Amino acid sequence: MKRRVLPGFGLSLGYVMAWLGLIVLLPLAALVFKSSALAPSGWWALLSSPRTLAALRLSFGGAMLAAAVNVLAGLLVAWVLVRHRFPGRRLFDALVDLPFALPTAVAGIALTAIYAPEGWLGRYLVPMGIKVAYAPLGVVVAMVFVGFPFVVRTLQPVLESMEREVEEAAASLGATRWQVFFRVVLPLLLPTLLTGFGLALARAVGEYGSVIFIAGNIPRLSEITPLLIVEKLEEFNYAGAAALGVAMLVLSLLLLLLVSLVQRASRRWELPR
Amino acid sequence: MARLFALLAFLLLLGSCSAHGPSSQLLNVSYDPTRELFRDIDAAFARDWREKTGKAMTVGMSHGGSGKQARSVAEGLPADVVTLALAYDVDMLADRGLVSKDWQKRFPYNASPYTSTIVFVVRKGNPKQIHDWPDLIRPGVSVITPNPRTSGGARWNFLAAWGYARRLPGGSDESARDYMAQLFRHVPVLDTGARGATNTFAQRGIGDVLIAWESEALLARKSIGDDKIQIVIPSVSILAEPPVAVVDANVDIHGTRKAAEAYLAFLYSPEGQEIGASHFYRPRLPEVAARHKGEFPDVNTFTIADIAGNWKAAQKKFFADGGLFDQVGPGRGDKP
């Protein structure tokens, strides 16, 4: 066997496996085990019911929309924070983390207060026909809020370490500013953007606390999947709740896998090393 | 989280002071809107217990949604007593052998020391002129009630409305079902809990009428002010009987059976009843009820036994998967 340069591979790998097993795999195994109490017909009835389908559509569709919004807004914010120097920059930088720190229920209440028909923004939006609070749009707004820091925080270190010489070289070779951005900077950032997208997506799919305050929770319209799980638990239907959890888990895994596949494909633009 | 802390605090205390002999700590696992009530009850009971036995006794509390709290106890939260919103939740504990099957006979009045009823909260001056159940389904009236699938309190709301419609002269399951379908067409938001619904109505300004427990309505009026909201008592309503029970499996381990029974009995004492009334729960004891007659107007009530037999039957018929609420509740997609 070839000797490795770094010591302790066997031991550290053992720790990694034990830790991942304890923290991640064990709870997930318990979830799958609980859901196995449900017969195949029960699974089918649960997953094919219009209510479940609508909730899954809102949870995953809303999360993808929110993650996409966060990628665009996050790119802009990270760019400004890294590339420009202006008074208050550090303050803005610190503000980015706020959605991490705030209990999500507080965020939900605050967002609802703002977008409710009599709220600060709601009183102008609702007469224009834009209903945010107590509508599916509110779900997306809450998801954007909780997912926002992920994109900014994954982009910042990459932007900081990006060599400006590359951009300067492109410019000196006659590229316009838009060409530099779209053909040089963006391809370099794409894998990181996708990482941020995946993180924001995962965060939004699992979000419960803030969403239930603003959603209105009307079945088939503004009801997210985690709420359906809570309903099942409320009637002591552990198997049904676990089954919905497994369904969410599988869908999330598939989505994250897809994101990482796209990411791998996007790496072909990376500079050869 | 609060549950976790209560559990940790309890375990610490258990470890530190009850290595020998019975514990001097009780854990009461209750539902959400009873925080203020039990803060006063616990202090009064501790005093009473010291006077009678010369020993110190403190009561730890855990609050949360009624169903969630019952689930925690089933999963090992070491409650000595439970004081929940629905007999259904205690029945679940009885099914799992934690509470004795005859728990409703252990204490007077179906083991329910105080009652409440379901009332309407409307905006000041009652601009939409809402006086009784038929007014809720008039065009242009918007009704706030939480989701009965997630809120124990909302199940009482649902049953109150159902009972009104079902018990009308000539009423049938079909006509009651029709009323419920119409009612839920007027519900724009389904909060997950009773407090959430109160906030949606009072703080967010959504809806013309809130269906609520009388105790919640009176508390809301006290904190929000009667210049903003007022309470309307419908012609008939349901008698809400929040149950209490000793968790037999746990008190025998903790050696706290005597104290736990004394604690629940204290709720029936004149002092306990007086405290209950001051927190807007209707007293059972006739002498205390007489003193508070002005605060609690007479209501024509029916019980759950009158309309559904028992909670298990009600749960199955109305709130289970595919039950009546799923059939007639909001978001069915066949809105007019």
Side-chain angles (χ1 to χ4, degrees):
Chain A
M1 199 178 113
K2 211 175 99 185
R3 274 187 74 84
R4 291 166 201 277
V5 180
L6 288 172
F9 173 68
L11 189 64
S12 53
L13 183 69
Y15 272 123
V16 167
M17 307 253 275
W19 187 247
L20 278 180
L22 188 69
I23 298 294
V24 180
L25 288 182
L26 197 63
L28 294 187
L31 183 72
V32 174
F33 177 75
K34 275 271 184 200
S35 73
S36 66
L38 204 63
S41 59
W43 275 89
W44 176 245
L46 178 67
L47 294 181
S48 66
S49 92
R51 233 176 127 195
T52 310
L53 290 176
L56 286 171
R57 204 176 305 127
L58 179 63
S59 275
F60 284 92
M64 282 207 262
L65 194 59
V69 170
N70 274 329
V71 162
L72 294 178
L75 174 61
L76 187 67
V77 170
W79 181 267
V80 169
L81 287 177
V82 169
R83 284 298 172 88
H84 298 283
R85 292 290 171 272
F86 54 94
R89 189 182 66 94
R90 281 174 181 280
L91 181 72
F92 286 122
D93 195 53
L95 280 180
V96 170
D97 283 332
L98 221 53
F100 273 146
L102 207 62
T104 53
V106 177
I109 292 169
L111 287 172
T112 313
I114 291 171
Y115 289 107
E118 291 179 5
W120 291 347
L121 290 178
R123 75 179 64 162
Y124 305 112
L125 290 175
V126 172
M128 289 193 287
I130 305 172
K131 213 168 163 247
V132 180
Y134 313 119
L137 187 54
V139 176
V140 178
V141 168
M143 287 172 164
V144 166
F145 180 85
V146 296
F148 174 66
F150 287 94
V151 178
V152 180
R153 288 299 180 235
T154 43
L155 272 178
Q156 268 178 327
V158 177
L159 268 176
E160 266 159 17
S161 64
M162 224 163 80
E163 291 160 24
R164 290 218 183 181
E165 288 84 344
V166 183
E167 291 161 53
E168 284 161 11
S172 72
L173 289 173
T176 66
R177 300 215 286 187
W178 285 111
Q179 278 175 326
V180 172
F181 181 77
F182 280 106
R183 314 212 38 181
V184 177
V185 177
L186 203 58
L188 282 172
L189 288 179
L190 200 59
T192 318
L193 279 173
L194 284 167
T195 305
F197 179 84
L199 288 174
L201 176 77
R203 179 73 181 81
V205 165
E207 177 56 16
Y208 177 74
S210 60
V211 172
I212 53 156
F213 283 98
I214 198 169
N217 306 321
I218 300 295
R220 287 203 213 176
L221 176 68
S222 53
E223 189 178 55
I224 54 168
T225 321
L227 179 63
L228 273 188
I229 296 179
V230 172
E231 280 189 11
K232 301 271 178 253
L233 287 176
E234 207 60 35
E235 57 194 49
F236 311 119
N237 178 359
Y238 289 77
L244 276 177
V246 169
M248 285 193 83
L249 192 68
V250 169
L251 278 173
S252 300
L253 273 177
L254 286 177
L255 265 178
L256 292 178
L257 195 69
L258 192 70
V259 170
S260 85
L261 282 179
V262 176
Q263 200 172 24
R264 179 169 296 184
S266 75
R267 283 198 191 275
R268 69 192 167 87
W269 284 305
E270 267 189 0
L271 297 179
R273 300 206 181 255
Chain B
M1 209 56 209
R3 204 173 73 216
L4 198 70
F5 276 120
L7 176 69
L8 281 175
F10 185 83
L11 287 176
L12 278 175
L13 271 156
L14 205 67
S16 63
C17 65
S18 77
H20 325 279
S23 168
S24 61
Q25 164 100 359
L26 286 177
L27 180 61
N28 175 4
V29 171
S30 192
Y31 59 110
D32 248 333
T34 58
R35 273 165 225 276
E36 298 84 4
L37 167 68
F38 280 112
R39 204 174 45 222
D40 291 356
I41 290 277
D42 294 350
F45 171 72
R47 196 172 353 94
D48 187 65
W49 182 257
R50 192 194 305 273
E51 279 164 17
K52 285 193 177 130
T53 66
K55 289 190 191 123
M57 175 63 66
T58 50
V59 185
M61 294 300 307
S62 164
H63 295 276
S66 185
K68 193 189 78 185
Q69 293 294 83
R71 234 165 32 241
S72 306
V73 174
E75 282 157 12
L77 183 67
D80 298 284
V81 299
V82 287
T83 51
L84 297 173
L86 308 178
Y88 177 69
D89 294 327
V90 186
D91 281 338
M92 187 273 289
L93 294 175
D95 285 345
R96 295 182 184 217
L98 288 155
V99 171
S100 96
K101 290 265 182 213
D102 66 344
W103 65 271
Q104 279 198 309
K105 302 203 172 66
R106 294 286 186 85
F107 289 92
Y109 304 108
N110 290 327
S112 164
Y114 34 71
T115 66
S116 194
T117 188
I118 301 302
V119 299
F120 304 153
V121 181
V122 297
R123 305 206 180 274
K124 179 68 193 167
N126 200 353
K128 294 265 169 116
Q129 289 299 308
I130 290 154
H131 302 289
D132 202 1
W133 295 102
D135 299 326
L136 301 186
I137 57 170
R138 277 204 324 250
V141 173
S142 153
V143 181
I144 301 296
T145 179
N147 184 348
R149 298 282 299 269
T150 54
S151 158
R155 275 173 233 174
W156 288 107
N157 295 359
F158 187 102
L159 292 173
W162 169 269
Y164 150 75
R166 182 68 185 77
R167 288 161 60 86
L168 279 177
S172 63
D173 269 17
E174 283 69 44
S175 67
R177 185 195 156 96
D178 193 47
Y179 174 80
M180 297 309 285
Q182 288 193 55
L183 177 63
F184 276 108
R185 266 179 222 137
H186 292 256
V187 177
V189 179
L190 278 180
D191 282 288
T192 53
R195 272 287 154 90
T198 308
N199 281 335
T200 298
F201 179 78
Q203 314 291 348
R204 305 282 156 263
I206 309 277
D208 302 303
V209 51
L210 168 77
I211 310 180
W213 283 46
E214 183 185 46
S215 55
E216 273 289 279
L218 288 165
L219 184 68
R221 191 176 68 181
K222 190 173 116 183
S223 55
I224 297 161
D226 42 14
D227 55 330
K228 293 233 173 64
I229 56 173
Q230 61 189 64
I231 293 170
V232 172
I233 309 266
S235 63
V236 287
S237 191
I238 197 164
L239 184 70
E241 300 178 290
V244 301
V246 170
V247 184
D248 296 271
N250 291 346
V251 290
D252 289 341
I253 297 171
H254 305 158
T256 47
R257 177 174 287 280
K258 254 204 183 103
E261 280 169 357
Y263 178 70
L264 293 186
F266 181 75
L267 295 171
Y268 290 89
S269 70
E271 191 183 358
Q273 292 276 292
E274 196 62 54
I275 295 172
S278 72
H279 289 282
F280 311 119
Y281 287 91
R282 290 182 175 231
R284 292 279 200 184
L285 216 58
E287 50 181 277
V288 181
R291 265 203 296 280
H292 293 273
K293 219 165 167 36
E295 296 146 56
F296 300 114
D298 280 335
V299 191
N300 248 325
T301 57
F302 48 85
T303 66
I304 183 151
D306 297 334
I307 55 166
N310 58 36
W311 265 108
K312 249 181 212 141
Q315 183 71 25
K316 190 154 179 275
K317 178 171 181 181
F318 300 115
F319 311 120
D321 250 333
L324 196 96
F325 173 71
D326 276 3
Q327 295 163 31
V328 306
R332 297 173 325 291
D334 60 355
K335 281 181 187 167

